[in-house]
Amino acid sequence: ELFSLDEAFIHFTPLARLYASPLEFAQKVRADIFALLGEWVTCNIGIARTRFLAKLASETAAPDSITQVSVEQEAALLANTTCAGACGIGDRLGKKLAALGVSVPYQINFIPQVDLERAVGLFWTYQLRLMAKGDEPLFLRRLSDPPQPMKSVGRSITGWQLCNNEAMIKRTLY
């Protein structure tokens, strides 16, 4: 399942008949990448129970490594990864969590429901609770959905700072 230009998720279960373990498969993937592109290309691979945890493992690991996270290690990973390093928690959401005293995803487990809902809303409260347990939030679960036919096309420009000056907005657009 492609996630971005240089990221993908691979569900190991269908490959279990071909490889002795997820680690063996990960080593093969790295070897194939190096054989095809050269050893100057680095490759981090995370192996875990969920895509969310696998991505955290690959992002927090040493460069050019394979990191396997057992169920017993999940809480430690969630307690040692900053919210800024967690996939799905952007700057704005991170600031709201920081206002609650949350700096790592694991701390979300200890924030009262009413406080979390007040700070981030019902949708994000549910998604953050999933992340705090290492489960997959909606945006990762939807990767498995079959692609939908395109319904519209959009174009937008993101400015480098917030602006409400009409003249400056027009200069930027034109």
Side-chain angles (χ1 to χ4, degrees):
E1 299 161 335
L2 289 177
F3 187 64
S4 69
L5 181 64
D6 63 347
E7 295 178 288
F9 295 103
I10 300 171
H11 187 65
F12 180 75
T13 303
L15 303 172
R17 291 183 296 145
L18 303 173
Y19 299 93
S21 68
L23 182 60
E24 179 187 317
F25 176 68
Q27 291 166 336
K28 167 118 173 66
V29 168
R30 284 186 72 229
D32 288 352
I33 288 171
F34 294 155
L36 185 64
L37 301 174
E39 292 197 16
W40 62 273
V41 175
T42 61
C43 174
N44 275 21
I45 298 176
I47 302 169
R49 174 179 60 88
T50 66
R51 289 174 280 211
F52 180 71
L53 290 169
K55 183 154 175 52
L56 280 183
S58 70
E59 289 179 351
T60 59
D64 201 29
S65 66
I66 299 171
T67 303
Q68 193 163 6
V69 179
S70 67
V71 173
E72 295 80 28
Q73 297 168 319
E74 290 177 4
L77 177 64
L78 292 163
N80 291 308
T81 304
T82 64
C83 286
C87 178
I89 301 179
D91 288 341
R92 289 176 60 191
L93 189 53
K95 287 177 184 175
K96 290 177 182 180
L97 290 171
L100 292 171
V102 173
S103 59
V104 298
Y106 192 71
Q107 291 174 310
I108 295 166
N109 290 310
F110 307 103
I111 301 297
Q113 183 78 7
V114 67
D115 293 344
L116 197 54
E117 283 181 15
R118 188 178 305 120
V120 300
L122 191 59
F123 173 81
W124 276 109
T125 294
Y126 179 71
Q127 300 307 310
L128 289 167
R129 293 274 187 225
L130 291 172
M131 290 183 215
K133 293 185 288 184
D135 293 332
E136 294 185 349
L138 181 64
F139 69 93
L140 285 175
R141 285 189 316 236
R142 294 190 71 191
L143 285 176
S144 302
D145 292 350
Q148 299 296 316
M150 193 180 315
K151 295 179 182 177
S152 62
V153 175
R155 173 78 169 102
S156 65
I157 297 174
T158 302
W160 59 277
Q161 67 182 18
L162 292 176
C163 177
N164 61 3
N165 179 312
E166 189 175 338
M168 186 180 286
I169 293 170
K170 286 181 179 180
R171 264 196 320 272
T172 301
L173 293 174
Y174 296 119

